[in-house]
C-alpha cells in the first residue's frame, strides 16, 4: 500500500506549489483563527485553487458549527474535512452525513488510556489522525510540534485507517514509520522556518525521507490502510 503524505497548515502559494511538486498526497488548510496557520475563506479559496486535482485538499477545523462548515465547503470544496477539536463521535457522524465528505478525526495521545476512544471514532470517521495531546494549559489543540510515544499504537487493530502526526520532521519520520507501520503521515511545524512559514526545502526533504522509508520497508505502510 502506498504511503499517504499530508503537508498541513499551508498559508502561501509557494508552500502549496512546493507540496505539489514534492509529491505529497494531501494539502491541509487550517480554518481556525487562533492558529498561526489560519487562512480566512477568501484567502483559502485562492490557495486551494492550484492544488485542486493535483492532490487531495483537507480543510482542518476545530469545533466548527454547521454554519462555518457550510462556508468552508462552499469556499474550499475540500476532499476531506479534518475535525481537530473535541467533537464527539456523534458530531463526527453528523458532519459526515450532512456534508457528504470524508471526515478525518484527530485524537490527542499521551498515554495508553487515550486510545480507549478509538473504537467509537473509528466507527464513524473515515480516518483517525493520532496527534500528541496538548498540555492542560494549551490555548490551541493539536500536538504543538511535539511527538508522543509512538509505541503506544502497538495495540491498535492493524486494519484501522490511521494517520500519524505530532512532532514529525524530515529527520524522524523514517523512525516513526518503522515503529508504527502507519499508512499515512502528517506534518506541519516540522517543515517550517517559523510558525506558519513553510520551508519548501524541508517539505521536499520530508516527502523524500518518508517515501524512502516506505520503499525500504514496504510492510510499514500497509497494515493500517
Amino acid at each position: 500500500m502506498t504511503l499517504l503524505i499530508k503537508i498541513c497548515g499551508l498559508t502561501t502559494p509557494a508552500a502549496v506549489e512546493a507540496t505539489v511538486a514534492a509529491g505529497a498526497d494531501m494539502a491541509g488548510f487550517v480554518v481556525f483563527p487562533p492558529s498561526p496557520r489560519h487562512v480566512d475563506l477568501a484567502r483559502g479559496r485562492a490557495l486551494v485553487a492550484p492544488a485542486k486535482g493535483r492532490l487531495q485538499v483537507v480543510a482542518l477545523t476545530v469545533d466548527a458549527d454547521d454554519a462555518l462548515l457550510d462556508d468552508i465547503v462552499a469556499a474550499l470544496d475540500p476532499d476531506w474535512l479534518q475535525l481537530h477539536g473535541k467533537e464527539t463521535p456523534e458530531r463526527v457522524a453528523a458532519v459526515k452525513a450532512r456534508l457528504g465528505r470524508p471526515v478525518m478525526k484527530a485524537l490527542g495521545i499521551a498515554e495508553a488510556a487515550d486510545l480507549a476512544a478509538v473504537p467509537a471514532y473509528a466507527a464513524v470517521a473515515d480516518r483517525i489522525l493520532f496527534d500528541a495531546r496538548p498540555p492542560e494549559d494549551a490555548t490551541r489543540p493539536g500536538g504543538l510540534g511535539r511527538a508522543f510515544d509512538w509505541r503506544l499504537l502497538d495495540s491498535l487493530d492493524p486494519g484501522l485507517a490511521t494517520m500519524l502526526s505530532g512532532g514529525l520532521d524530515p529527520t524522524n519520520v523514517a523512525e516513526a514509520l518503522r515503529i508504527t507501520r502507519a499508512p499515512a503521515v502528517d506534518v506541519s511545524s516540522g517543515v517550517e522556518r517559523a510558525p506558519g512559514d513553510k520551508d519548501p526545502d524541508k517539505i521536499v526533504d520530508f516527502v523524500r525521507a518518508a517515501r524512502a522509508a516506505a520503499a525500504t520497508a514496504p510492510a510499514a505502510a500497509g497494515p493500517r490502510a
Side-chain angles (χ1 to χ4, degrees):
M1 185 68 67
T2 302
L3 177 71
L4 289 177
I5 299 175
K6 173 171 167 275
I7 310 297
C8 198
L10 304 178
T11 61
T12 66
V16 173
E17 189 55 44
T19 298
V20 173
D25 304 288
M26 295 178 166
F29 300 87
V30 176
V31 184
F32 182 58
S35 170
R37 300 163 189 91
H38 167 69
V39 293
D40 62 39
L41 295 183
R43 184 179 172 198
R45 183 184 290 109
L47 288 172
V48 163
K52 294 294 289 183
R54 302 168 75 187
L55 38 63
Q56 298 175 64
V57 170
V58 181
L60 185 159
T61 69
V62 178
D63 298 315
D65 60 19
D66 286 348
L68 177 55
L69 289 172
D70 286 345
D71 289 344
I72 289 171
V73 169
L76 306 186
D77 187 25
D79 300 291
W80 286 79
L81 290 168
Q82 179 174 330
L83 306 183
H84 218 97
K86 297 180 180 179
E87 300 89 356
T88 64
E90 293 75 19
R91 177 58 175 163
V92 173
V95 168
K96 181 178 176 180
R98 185 169 181 274
L99 296 174
R101 311 275 166 139
V103 173
M104 186 184 309
K105 178 66 181 89
L107 298 180
I109 305 298
E111 56 187 338
D114 293 325
L115 297 172
V118 170
Y121 283 105
V124 292
D126 296 280
R127 189 173 290 274
I128 301 297
L129 182 146
F130 295 111
D131 202 352
R133 191 177 73 194
E136 292 298 326
D137 59 351
T139 57
R140 291 182 284 121
L144 307 179
R146 299 177 303 110
F148 62 94
D149 183 354
W150 301 318
R151 294 169 297 181
L152 291 171
L153 304 182
D154 285 347
S155 63
L156 288 178
D157 177 353
L160 289 177
T162 63
M163 178 173 282
L164 181 65
S165 186
L168 297 179
D169 61 40
T171 69
N172 68 10
V173 65
E175 180 69 0
L177 286 168
R178 184 189 68 78
I179 292 172
T180 65
R181 306 180 307 281
V185 290
D186 170 75
V187 66
S188 184
S189 61
V191 291
E192 291 181 339
R193 291 176 287 235
D197 180 16
K198 292 292 186 288
D199 183 329
D201 290 336
K202 289 184 179 180
I203 291 174
V204 170
D205 289 345
F206 183 86
V207 173
R208 182 181 294 126
R211 295 279 185 231
T216 55
R224 298 191 178 104

